[in-house]
Amino acid sequence: MKKLFTLSTAALLAFSLAACSNNSAQPASTPTPEASAAAETGTGVYTIWNSTGENVTELYVFDNSGTDKGENYAEGGLRNFKSVEVTKADVPTDTAFTLEFTTASGYTGKFETLHVEEAAINLPAEDALTGATQISFGEPTLTAEYVIYNQTGETVRELYLTANGDEKGDNLAGDAGLADGKNVTVTIDLPASETTDWASTLEFTTEGGYTGTFDTLHFEEAPISLIAEDAKTGATQIAFSAPEAEAEYTIYNVTGEKVTGLYLYETGDADKGENYAADGLADGDSIVLGSTESAYTARKHVYTLEFTTEGGYTGTFDTLHFEVAPISLLAEDALTGATQISFSAPN
């Protein structure tokens, strides 16, 4: 009985092995190569908007697995407020791309984990960053800014900037009018996709009845001068330029001792530049510092004025604007607040 049991067990084992052998001869179905390829590849489409405030001169989107950046999608310059569409077709869906850009001033940005997807991407200005990443996803809202200078020689009573096809809005000259030599800033916010074909009309009327119209104003950042009638060189009553602006600071030393260090530099600059009191500025003496440039660029300047006396007393004022002003460097015991200067001349 024991031998029979052994034989029966062996026969059962042989039968089981045969059954397994027959089953392995019919493998489960697998996807065809064509189906696998379709499931594993995709197309990335990226609409990239430039809102850096300047031209983007280099723009690359390249596969992280390679070393060649490939095509410069900003060849010829991608202007502020403009976009370019980049397509990466039939690539493995697990591909990671790097987006890299450089502006005309040398500001650079990089994002190294761009996936295969359809996405709107914004390249913001350096001073608009809210974190370490130099791009943001989603269609941006863009802001057009026009600084309009009255150079007509008289007060402008009516001033309108109207999107073509819309009704006129508020009179931008205000109830009192825009005096000759003054300016007004107009801003317009729109989703990026609405800016491409956007155009507006700028029109004005002076106190003397002189009128001007320009009906192809694009969505942009620009200075605009309203030109005097006798200063026109063509049919257009505006110019995309700004008048010259002057900064002049007459700096009086009333500290009670010699000033040995005096610097005037753009706030935030690491280099203070020239020491204007290198030879010493005696107590009671003054010095005039100034420059001239376009009012459009000058309006954004903020300066730091810094001084040190022979005795080691120091003063700093870091919110000085581009202007004409007298400035007194105050004695330490004459301070009435935290500021070591006053915008006045000594008596």
Side-chain angles (χ1 to χ4, degrees), residues 50-182:
N50 175 18
S51 57
T52 62
E54 54 181 320
N55 276 9
V56 169
T57 55
E58 296 182 23
L59 176 62
Y60 300 95
V61 179
F62 55 92
D63 188 335
N64 289 350
S65 64
T67 57
D68 183 10
K69 293 182 180 180
E71 180 182 353
N72 177 7
Y73 294 102
E75 189 68 42
L78 179 63
R79 292 191 296 119
N80 191 42
F81 293 161
K82 298 300 181 182
S83 67
V84 63
E85 186 176 283
V86 176
T87 300
K88 298 293 184 179
D90 299 325
V91 293
T93 55
D94 60 354
T95 303
F97 294 103
T98 290
L99 184 153
E100 182 178 308
F101 69 91
T102 303
T103 69
S105 69
Y107 164 53
T108 63
K110 183 183 285 189
F111 185 80
E112 298 177 305
T113 55
L114 188 60
H115 299 294
V116 180
E117 58 188 316
E118 291 190 14
I121 298 173
N122 181 36
L123 311 181
E126 187 170 12
D127 59 7
L129 299 180
T130 56
T133 305
Q134 295 101 338
I135 74 167
S136 63
F137 286 92
E139 180 180 339
T141 295
L142 303 181
T143 301
E145 181 184 76
Y146 311 96
V147 183
I148 304 171
Y149 300 89
N150 179 9
Q151 299 290 294
T152 63
E154 53 182 321
T155 298
V156 168
R157 289 298 179 190
E158 295 185 25
L159 177 63
Y160 299 95
L161 197 158
T162 310
N164 291 347
D166 288 355
E167 294 183 0
K168 288 183 185 179
D170 295 336
N171 177 7
L172 301 173
D175 294 337
L178 183 64
D180 182 52
K182 298 299 183 180

Side-chain angles (χ1 to χ4, degrees), residues 13 31 48 82 148 275-276 310:
L13 179 60
I48 303 172
K82 298 300 181 182
I148 304 171
N275 178 6
Y276 295 105
E310 196 169 35

Side-chain angles (χ1 to χ4, degrees), residues 241-260:
S241 62
E244 290 290 291
E246 180 183 12
E248 183 178 274
Y249 312 101
T250 304
I251 303 172
Y252 301 91
N253 177 12
V254 292
T255 62
E257 54 181 322
K258 182 187 290 186
V259 169
T260 55

